[in-house]
Amino acid sequence: MNHHAHKLGQEVTISVGNQNVVISSLSTNKEIGMWFAKERIPSRNFHVIEKHGENRSEERRVKGELISPLKCSRNEAQKLLHLAIGESIKELYNFDQKHNNYIVFKHEGENPQNMYHGYHLPLETKEIPDNLKEELKKGVHY
């Protein structure tokens, strides 16, 4: 893609196969990166599982296992999933500023929907590698 081929603030049409995609008014590297993160193929899709709930605030025990809550809504989690990072697609991470917690996304295996579920973890968690915590502290990812 030649970013010098158009004036910033205009729409850009990208043709992929038989499909045209219009990108409107992207004027910074951050905006372009955000667009690619959201429009990745296959797209990442979030779904809530009962074990972690939705909009929960506390951990709970189920059959002796401590279960971390999903503190946000499914829509908020979907937005965080778009920009999540990791060392493999099996487990991705992001930082949820609203809840001041990390969020982990677990890949649900090979499926056409590319599904993930997730839950929040406290800042002191050992479940997230330190190098990824450093990246997450920097902010937006794509």
Side-chain angles (χ1 to χ4, degrees), residues 64-133:
E65 180 185 6
L66 191 60
I67 306 299
S68 296
L70 176 64
K71 295 183 176 188
C72 62
S73 71
R74 67 187 71 221
N75 293 335
E76 291 168 311
Q78 179 65 61
K79 290 175 185 173
L80 291 166
L81 176 58
H82 284 311
L83 300 174
I85 61 172
E87 294 174 342
S88 81
I89 66 164
K90 292 181 181 183
E91 196 166 86
L92 301 172
Y93 311 96
N94 207 335
F95 182 73
D96 183 346
Q97 290 182 349
K98 182 178 176 182
H99 294 95
N100 198 35
N101 275 191
Y102 292 108
I103 184 168
V104 61
F105 297 99
K106 301 282 190 172
H107 191 248
E108 305 249 327
E110 295 305 316
N111 59 70
Q113 298 82 20
N114 200 27
M115 299 298 283
Y116 287 80
H117 72 272
Y119 52 89
H120 283 82
L121 295 170
L123 297 178
E124 65 275 2
T125 184
K126 300 290 185 208
E127 192 172 324
I128 300 173
D130 288 338
N131 63 316
L132 291 178
K133 283 183 180 180

Coordinates of all heavy atoms in Angstrom, one line a residue, residues 64-133:
G64 N -14.2 -26.1 44.2 CA -12.8 -25.9 44.7 C -11.9 -25.1 43.8 O -10.8 -24.7 44.3
E65 N -12.3 -24.8 42.6 CA -11.5 -24.0 41.7 C -11.9 -22.5 41.8 O -13.1 -22.2 41.7 CB -11.7 -24.5 40.3 CG -10.9 -23.8 39.2 CD -11.2 -24.2 37.8 OE1 -12.1 -25.0 37.6 OE2 -10.5 -23.7 36.9
L66 N -10.9 -21.7 41.9 CA -11.1 -20.2 41.9 C -11.3 -19.7 40.5 O -10.5 -19.9 39.7 CB -9.9 -19.5 42.6 CG -10.1 -18.1 42.9 CD1 -11.2 -17.9 43.9 CD2 -8.8 -17.5 43.5
I67 N -12.5 -19.1 40.3 CA -12.9 -18.7 39.0 C -12.8 -17.1 38.9 O -13.5 -16.4 39.7 CB -14.3 -19.1 38.6 CG1 -14.5 -20.6 38.8 CG2 -14.7 -18.6 37.2 CD1 -13.6 -21.5 37.9
S68 N -12.0 -16.6 38.0 CA -11.9 -15.2 37.8 C -13.1 -14.6 37.0 O -13.6 -15.3 36.1 CB -10.6 -14.8 37.0 OG -9.5 -15.2 37.8
P69 N -13.5 -13.4 37.4 CA -14.7 -12.9 36.7 C -14.4 -12.1 35.4 O -13.3 -11.6 35.2 CB -15.2 -11.9 37.7 CG -14.0 -11.3 38.4 CD -13.1 -12.6 38.5
L70 N -15.4 -12.0 34.6 CA -15.3 -11.1 33.4 C -16.0 -9.8 34.0 O -17.2 -9.8 34.2 CB -16.0 -11.6 32.2 CG -16.1 -10.6 31.0 CD1 -14.7 -10.3 30.5 CD2 -17.0 -11.2 29.9
K71 N -15.2 -8.8 34.2 CA -15.8 -7.6 34.9 C -16.5 -6.6 33.9 O -17.1 -5.7 34.4 CB -14.6 -6.8 35.6 CG -14.0 -7.6 36.7 CD -13.0 -6.8 37.4 CE -12.5 -7.6 38.6 NZ -11.6 -6.8 39.5
C72 N -16.3 -6.8 32.6 CA -17.0 -5.9 31.7 C -18.1 -6.6 30.9 O -18.3 -7.8 31.1 CB -15.9 -5.4 30.7 SG -15.1 -6.6 29.7
S73 N -18.7 -5.9 30.0 CA -19.7 -6.4 29.1 C -19.0 -7.2 27.9 O -17.9 -7.0 27.7 CB -20.6 -5.3 28.6 OG -19.9 -4.5 27.6
R74 N -19.8 -7.9 27.2 CA -19.3 -8.6 26.1 C -18.9 -7.7 25.0 O -17.9 -7.9 24.3 CB -20.3 -9.6 25.5 CG -21.6 -9.0 25.0 CD -22.7 -10.0 24.6 NE -23.3 -10.6 25.8 CZ -23.6 -11.8 25.9 NH1 -23.4 -12.7 24.9 NH2 -24.1 -12.3 27.1
N75 N -19.5 -6.5 24.9 CA -19.1 -5.5 23.8 C -17.8 -4.9 24.2 O -17.0 -4.7 23.3 CB -20.2 -4.4 23.7 CG -21.5 -5.0 23.1 OD1 -21.5 -6.0 22.4 ND2 -22.6 -4.4 23.4
E76 N -17.6 -4.6 25.5 CA -16.3 -4.0 25.9 C -15.2 -5.1 25.7 O -14.1 -4.7 25.2 CB -16.4 -3.6 27.4 CG -17.3 -2.4 27.6 CD -17.5 -2.2 29.1 OE1 -17.9 -3.1 29.8 OE2 -17.4 -1.0 29.5
A77 N -15.5 -6.3 26.0 CA -14.5 -7.4 25.8 C -14.1 -7.5 24.4 O -13.0 -7.7 24.0 CB -15.0 -8.7 26.4
Q78 N -15.1 -7.4 23.5 CA -14.9 -7.6 22.0 C -13.9 -6.5 21.6 O -13.0 -6.7 20.8 CB -16.2 -7.5 21.3 CG -16.0 -7.6 19.7 CD -15.5 -8.9 19.3 OE1 -16.1 -10.0 19.5 NE2 -14.3 -8.9 18.7
K79 N -14.1 -5.3 22.0 CA -13.2 -4.2 21.7 C -11.8 -4.4 22.2 O -10.8 -4.2 21.5 CB -13.7 -2.8 22.2 CG -15.0 -2.4 21.5 CD -15.5 -1.1 22.2 CE -16.8 -0.7 21.5 NZ -17.5 0.4 22.2
L80 N -11.6 -4.9 23.4 CA -10.3 -5.2 23.9 C -9.7 -6.4 23.2 O -8.5 -6.5 23.0 CB -10.4 -5.5 25.4 CG -10.8 -4.3 26.3 CD1 -11.2 -4.8 27.7 CD2 -9.6 -3.4 26.4
L81 N -10.5 -7.4 22.8 CA -10.0 -8.5 22.0 C -9.4 -8.1 20.7 O -8.4 -8.6 20.3 CB -11.1 -9.5 21.8 CG -10.8 -10.8 20.9 CD1 -9.6 -11.6 21.5 CD2 -12.0 -11.7 20.8
H82 N -10.0 -7.1 20.0 CA -9.4 -6.7 18.7 C -8.0 -6.3 18.8 O -7.2 -6.5 17.9 CB -10.2 -5.5 18.2 CG -11.6 -5.8 17.6 ND1 -11.7 -6.8 16.7 CD2 -12.8 -5.3 17.8 CE1 -13.0 -6.9 16.3 NE2 -13.7 -6.0 17.0
L83 N -7.6 -5.7 20.0 CA -6.3 -5.1 20.1 C -5.4 -6.0 21.1 O -4.3 -5.5 21.5 CB -6.3 -3.7 20.7 CG -7.1 -2.7 19.8 CD1 -7.2 -1.4 20.5 CD2 -6.4 -2.5 18.5
A84 N -5.8 -7.2 21.4 CA -5.1 -8.0 22.3 C -3.8 -8.6 21.7 O -3.7 -8.7 20.4 CB -6.0 -9.2 22.8
I85 N -2.8 -8.8 22.5 CA -1.5 -9.3 22.0 C -1.2 -10.6 22.8 O -1.8 -10.9 23.9 CB -0.4 -8.3 22.2 CG1 -0.2 -7.9 23.7 CG2 -0.6 -7.1 21.3 CD1 1.0 -7.1 23.9
G86 N -0.3 -11.4 22.3 CA 0.2 -12.6 22.9 C 1.3 -13.2 22.2 O 1.7 -12.8 21.2
E87 N 1.8 -14.3 22.8 CA 2.9 -15.0 22.1 C 2.4 -16.1 21.2 O 3.1 -16.6 20.4 CB 3.8 -15.6 23.2 CG 4.5 -14.5 24.0 CD 5.3 -15.0 25.2 OE1 5.1 -16.2 25.6 OE2 6.1 -14.3 25.7
S88 N 1.1 -16.4 21.3 CA 0.4 -17.3 20.3 C -1.0 -17.0 20.3 O -1.5 -16.3 21.2 CB 0.7 -18.8 20.7 OG -0.3 -19.2 21.7
I89 N -1.8 -17.4 19.3 CA -3.2 -17.1 19.2 C -4.0 -17.8 20.3 O -5.1 -17.5 20.5 CB -3.8 -17.4 17.8 CG1 -3.8 -18.9 17.5 CG2 -3.1 -16.6 16.7 CD1 -4.7 -19.3 16.4
K90 N -3.4 -18.8 20.9 CA -4.1 -19.6 22.0 C -4.5 -18.8 23.2 O -5.4 -19.1 23.9 CB -3.3 -20.8 22.4 CG -3.2 -21.8 21.2 CD -2.4 -23.0 21.7 CE -2.3 -24.0 20.5 NZ -1.6 -25.2 20.9
E91 N -3.7 -17.8 23.5 CA -3.9 -16.9 24.7 C -3.4 -15.5 24.4 O -2.3 -15.3 24.1 CB -3.1 -17.5 25.8 CG -3.6 -17.0 27.2 CD -3.1 -17.8 28.3 OE1 -1.9 -17.6 28.8 OE2 -3.8 -18.8 28.7
L92 N -4.4 -14.6 24.4 CA -4.1 -13.2 24.2 C -4.4 -12.3 25.4 O -5.2 -12.8 26.2 CB -4.9 -12.7 23.0 CG -4.7 -13.5 21.7 CD1 -5.7 -13.0 20.6 CD2 -3.3 -13.3 21.1
Y93 N -3.8 -11.2 25.5 CA -4.0 -10.3 26.6 C -4.2 -8.9 26.2 O -3.7 -8.4 25.2 CB -2.7 -10.4 27.5 CG -2.2 -11.7 27.8 CD1 -1.2 -12.3 27.0 CD2 -2.8 -12.5 28.8 CE1 -0.8 -13.6 27.3 CE2 -2.3 -13.8 29.1 CZ -1.3 -14.3 28.4 OH -0.9 -15.6 28.6
N94 N -4.8 -8.1 27.1 CA -4.9 -6.7 27.0 C -5.1 -6.1 28.4 O -5.2 -6.8 29.4 CB -6.1 -6.3 26.1 CG -5.9 -5.0 25.4 OD1 -5.1 -4.1 25.9 ND2 -6.6 -4.8 24.3
F95 N -5.0 -4.8 28.4 CA -5.2 -4.1 29.7 C -6.6 -3.3 29.6 O -6.8 -2.6 28.7 CB -4.1 -3.1 30.0 CG -4.2 -2.4 31.3 CD1 -4.0 -3.1 32.5 CD2 -4.6 -1.1 31.4 CE1 -4.2 -2.5 33.7 CE2 -4.8 -0.5 32.6 CZ -4.6 -1.1 33.8
D96 N -7.4 -3.6 30.6 CA -8.7 -2.9 30.7 C -8.6 -1.7 31.6 O -8.6 -1.9 32.8 CB -9.8 -3.9 31.2 CG -11.2 -3.3 31.2 OD1 -11.3 -2.1 31.1 OD2 -12.1 -4.1 31.4
Q97 N -8.5 -0.5 31.0 CA -8.3 0.7 31.8 C -9.5 1.0 32.7 O -9.3 1.5 33.8 CB -8.0 1.9 30.9 CG -6.7 1.8 30.2 CD -6.4 3.1 29.4 OE1 -7.3 3.9 29.1 NE2 -5.2 3.2 28.9
K98 N -10.7 0.7 32.2 CA -11.9 1.0 33.0 C -11.9 0.2 34.3 O -12.3 0.8 35.3 CB -13.1 0.6 32.2 CG -14.4 0.9 32.9 CD -15.6 0.6 31.9 CE -16.9 0.8 32.6 NZ -18.0 0.4 31.8
H99 N -11.4 -1.0 34.3 CA -11.4 -1.8 35.5 C -10.0 -2.0 36.2 O -9.9 -2.7 37.1 CB -12.0 -3.2 35.2 CG -13.4 -3.1 34.8 ND1 -13.8 -3.0 33.5 CD2 -14.5 -3.1 35.6 CE1 -15.2 -3.0 33.4 NE2 -15.6 -3.0 34.7
N100 N -9.0 -1.3 35.6 CA -7.6 -1.4 36.1 C -7.2 -2.8 36.3 O -6.6 -3.1 37.4 CB -7.5 -0.5 37.3 CG -6.0 -0.2 37.6 OD1 -5.2 0.0 36.7 ND2 -5.7 -0.2 38.9
N101 N -7.5 -3.7 35.4 CA -7.1 -5.1 35.4 C -6.7 -5.5 34.1 O -7.0 -4.9 33.0 CB -8.3 -6.0 35.8 CG -8.5 -6.1 37.3 OD1 -9.3 -6.9 37.7 ND2 -7.9 -5.3 38.1
Y102 N -5.9 -6.6 34.0 CA -5.6 -7.3 32.8 C -6.8 -8.1 32.4 O -7.6 -8.5 33.2 CB -4.4 -8.2 32.9 CG -3.1 -7.4 33.1 CD1 -2.5 -7.4 34.4 CD2 -2.5 -6.6 32.1 CE1 -1.3 -6.7 34.6 CE2 -1.4 -5.9 32.3 CZ -0.8 -5.9 33.5 OH 0.4 -5.2 33.8
I103 N -6.9 -8.4 31.1 CA -7.9 -9.4 30.7 C -7.2 -10.4 29.8 O -6.3 -10.0 29.0 CB -9.1 -8.6 29.9 CG1 -10.2 -9.6 29.5 CG2 -8.6 -7.8 28.7 CD1 -11.5 -9.0 29.1
V104 N -7.5 -11.6 30.0 CA -6.9 -12.7 29.2 C -8.0 -13.3 28.3 O -9.2 -13.4 28.8 CB -6.3 -13.8 30.1 CG1 -7.3 -14.4 31.0 CG2 -5.6 -14.9 29.3
F105 N -7.7 -13.6 27.1 CA -8.6 -14.2 26.1 C -8.1 -15.6 25.7 O -6.9 -15.7 25.3 CB -8.7 -13.3 24.9 CG -9.2 -12.0 25.1 CD1 -8.4 -10.9 25.3 CD2 -10.6 -11.8 25.3 CE1 -8.9 -9.6 25.5 CE2 -11.1 -10.5 25.5 CZ -10.3 -9.4 25.7
K106 N -8.9 -16.6 25.9 CA -8.5 -18.0 25.6 C -9.2 -18.4 24.3 O -10.4 -18.2 24.1 CB -9.0 -18.9 26.7 CG -8.4 -18.6 28.1 CD -7.0 -19.1 28.2 CE -6.6 -18.9 29.7 NZ -5.3 -19.6 29.9
H107 N -8.4 -18.8 23.4 CA -8.8 -19.3 22.1 C -9.6 -20.6 22.3 O -9.2 -21.5 23.0 CB -7.6 -19.5 21.1 CG -8.0 -19.7 19.7 ND1 -7.9 -20.9 19.1 CD2 -8.6 -18.9 18.8 CE1 -8.3 -20.8 17.8 NE2 -8.7 -19.6 17.6
E108 N -10.7 -20.7 21.6 CA -11.6 -21.9 21.8 C -11.3 -23.0 20.8 O -12.1 -23.9 20.5 CB -13.0 -21.5 21.6 CG -13.3 -20.3 22.6 CD -14.3 -20.8 23.6 OE1 -15.1 -21.6 23.4 OE2 -14.2 -20.2 24.7
G109 N -10.1 -23.0 20.2 CA -9.7 -24.1 19.3 C -10.1 -23.7 17.8 O -10.7 -22.7 17.6
E110 N -9.7 -24.6 16.9 CA -10.0 -24.3 15.5 C -11.5 -24.4 15.3 O -12.1 -25.4 15.5 CB -9.3 -25.3 14.6 CG -7.8 -25.2 14.7 CD -7.2 -23.8 14.4 OE1 -7.7 -23.2 13.4 OE2 -6.4 -23.3 15.1
N111 N -12.1 -23.3 14.9 CA -13.5 -23.2 14.5 C -13.7 -22.0 13.6 O -12.9 -21.1 13.6 CB -14.4 -23.1 15.8 CG -14.0 -21.8 16.6 OD1 -14.3 -20.7 16.1 ND2 -13.4 -22.0 17.7
P112 N -14.6 -22.1 12.7 CA -14.8 -21.0 11.7 C -15.1 -19.7 12.3 O -14.8 -18.6 11.7 CB -16.0 -21.5 10.8 CG -16.2 -22.9 11.2 CD -15.6 -23.2 12.5
Q113 N -15.6 -19.6 13.5 CA -16.0 -18.3 14.1 C -14.8 -17.7 14.8 O -14.9 -16.5 15.3 CB -17.1 -18.5 15.1 CG -18.4 -19.0 14.5 CD -18.4 -20.5 14.3 OE1 -17.7 -21.2 14.9 NE2 -19.3 -21.0 13.4
N114 N -13.6 -18.4 15.0 CA -12.5 -17.9 15.6 C -12.8 -17.3 17.0 O -12.6 -16.1 17.3 CB -11.7 -16.9 14.8 CG -10.3 -16.7 15.2 OD1 -9.7 -17.5 15.7 ND2 -9.8 -15.5 14.9
M115 N -13.5 -18.1 17.8 CA -14.0 -17.7 19.1 C -13.0 -17.7 20.3 O -12.1 -18.5 20.3 CB -15.2 -18.6 19.5 CG -16.3 -18.7 18.6 SD -17.1 -17.1 18.3 CE -18.1 -17.0 19.8
Y116 N -13.2 -16.7 21.1 CA -12.4 -16.5 22.4 C -13.4 -16.2 23.5 O -14.4 -15.6 23.3 CB -11.5 -15.3 22.3 CG -10.3 -15.5 21.4 CD1 -10.4 -15.3 20.0 CD2 -9.1 -15.7 21.9 CE1 -9.3 -15.5 19.2 CE2 -7.9 -15.9 21.1 CZ -8.1 -15.7 19.7 OH -7.0 -15.9 18.9
H117 N -13.0 -16.7 24.7 CA -13.7 -16.3 25.9 C -12.7 -15.6 26.8 O -11.5 -15.7 26.5 CB -14.4 -17.4 26.6 CG -13.5 -18.4 27.3 ND1 -13.0 -19.5 26.7 CD2 -13.1 -18.4 28.6 CE1 -12.2 -20.1 27.5 NE2 -12.2 -19.5 28.7
G118 N -13.1 -14.9 27.8 CA -12.1 -14.2 28.6 C -12.5 -13.9 30.0 O -13.7 -14.1 30.4
Y119 N -11.6 -13.4 30.8 CA -11.8 -13.0 32.2 C -10.7 -12.0 32.6 O -9.7 -11.9 32.0 CB -11.8 -14.2 33.1 CG -10.6 -15.2 32.9 CD1 -9.5 -15.0 33.7 CD2 -10.7 -16.2 32.0 CE1 -8.4 -15.8 33.5 CE2 -9.6 -17.1 31.8 CZ -8.5 -16.9 32.6 OH -7.4 -17.7 32.5
H120 N -11.0 -11.3 33.7 CA -10.0 -10.4 34.2 C -9.1 -11.0 35.2 O -9.4 -11.9 35.9 CB -10.8 -9.2 34.8 CG -11.4 -8.3 33.8 ND1 -12.5 -8.5 33.2 CD2 -10.9 -7.1 33.3 CE1 -12.8 -7.5 32.3 NE2 -11.8 -6.6 32.4
L121 N -7.9 -10.4 35.3 CA -6.9 -10.8 36.2 C -6.3 -9.5 36.9 O -6.2 -8.5 36.3 CB -5.7 -11.5 35.5 CG -6.1 -12.8 34.9 CD1 -4.9 -13.3 34.0 CD2 -6.4 -13.9 35.9
P122 N -6.0 -9.6 38.2 CA -5.4 -8.5 38.9 C -4.0 -8.1 38.4 O -3.4 -8.9 37.7 CB -5.3 -9.0 40.4 CG -5.3 -10.4 40.3 CD -6.0 -10.8 39.0
L123 N -3.6 -6.9 38.7 CA -2.4 -6.3 38.2 C -1.2 -7.2 38.6 O -0.2 -7.3 37.9 CB -2.2 -4.9 38.7 CG -3.2 -3.9 38.2 CD1 -2.9 -2.5 38.8 CD2 -3.2 -3.8 36.7
E124 N -1.2 -7.8 39.8 CA -0.1 -8.6 40.3 C -0.1 -10.0 39.8 O 0.8 -10.8 40.2 CB -0.1 -8.5 41.8 CG -1.3 -9.2 42.5 CD -2.5 -8.3 42.6 OE1 -2.5 -7.2 42.2 OE2 -3.5 -8.8 43.2
T125 N -0.9 -10.3 38.8 CA -1.0 -11.7 38.3 C 0.4 -12.2 37.8 O 1.1 -11.4 37.2 CB -2.0 -11.8 37.2 OG1 -2.1 -13.2 36.8 CG2 -1.7 -11.0 36.0
K126 N 0.6 -13.5 38.0 CA 1.8 -14.1 37.4 C 1.4 -14.9 36.1 O 2.3 -15.5 35.5 CB 2.4 -15.1 38.4 CG 2.8 -14.5 39.7 CD 4.0 -13.6 39.5 CE 4.5 -13.1 40.9 NZ 5.2 -11.8 40.8
E127 N 0.2 -14.9 35.7 CA -0.3 -15.6 34.6 C 0.1 -15.0 33.3 O 0.1 -15.6 32.2 CB -1.9 -15.7 34.6 CG -2.4 -16.7 33.6 CD -3.9 -17.0 33.8 OE1 -4.4 -17.0 35.0 OE2 -4.6 -17.1 32.8
I128 N 0.4 -13.7 33.3 CA 0.8 -13.0 32.1 C 2.4 -12.7 32.1 O 2.9 -12.2 33.1 CB 0.1 -11.6 32.0 CG1 -1.4 -11.8 31.9 CG2 0.6 -10.8 30.7 CD1 -2.2 -10.6 32.0
P129 N 3.1 -13.1 31.1 CA 4.5 -12.9 31.0 C 4.9 -11.5 31.2 O 4.2 -10.6 30.7 CB 4.9 -13.4 29.6 CG 3.8 -14.3 29.2 CD 2.6 -13.8 29.8
D130 N 6.0 -11.2 31.9 CA 6.4 -9.8 32.2 C 6.6 -9.0 31.0 O 6.3 -7.8 30.9 CB 7.7 -9.8 33.1 CG 7.4 -10.3 34.5 OD1 6.2 -10.2 35.0 OD2 8.3 -10.8 35.2
N131 N 7.2 -9.6 29.9 CA 7.5 -8.8 28.7 C 6.2 -8.4 28.1 O 6.1 -7.2 27.5 CB 8.3 -9.6 27.7 CG 7.6 -10.9 27.2 OD1 7.0 -11.6 27.9 ND2 7.7 -11.1 25.9
L132 N 5.1 -9.1 28.2 CA 3.8 -8.7 27.6 C 3.2 -7.6 28.5 O 2.5 -6.7 28.0 CB 2.9 -9.9 27.5 CG 3.3 -10.9 26.3 CD1 2.3 -12.0 26.3 CD2 3.3 -10.2 25.0
K133 N 3.4 -7.7 29.8 CA 2.9 -6.7 30.7 C 3.5 -5.4 30.4 O 2.8 -4.3 30.4 CB 3.2 -7.0 32.2 CG 2.3 -8.1 32.8 CD 2.7 -8.3 34.3 CE 1.9 -9.3 35.0 NZ 2.2 -9.5 36.4

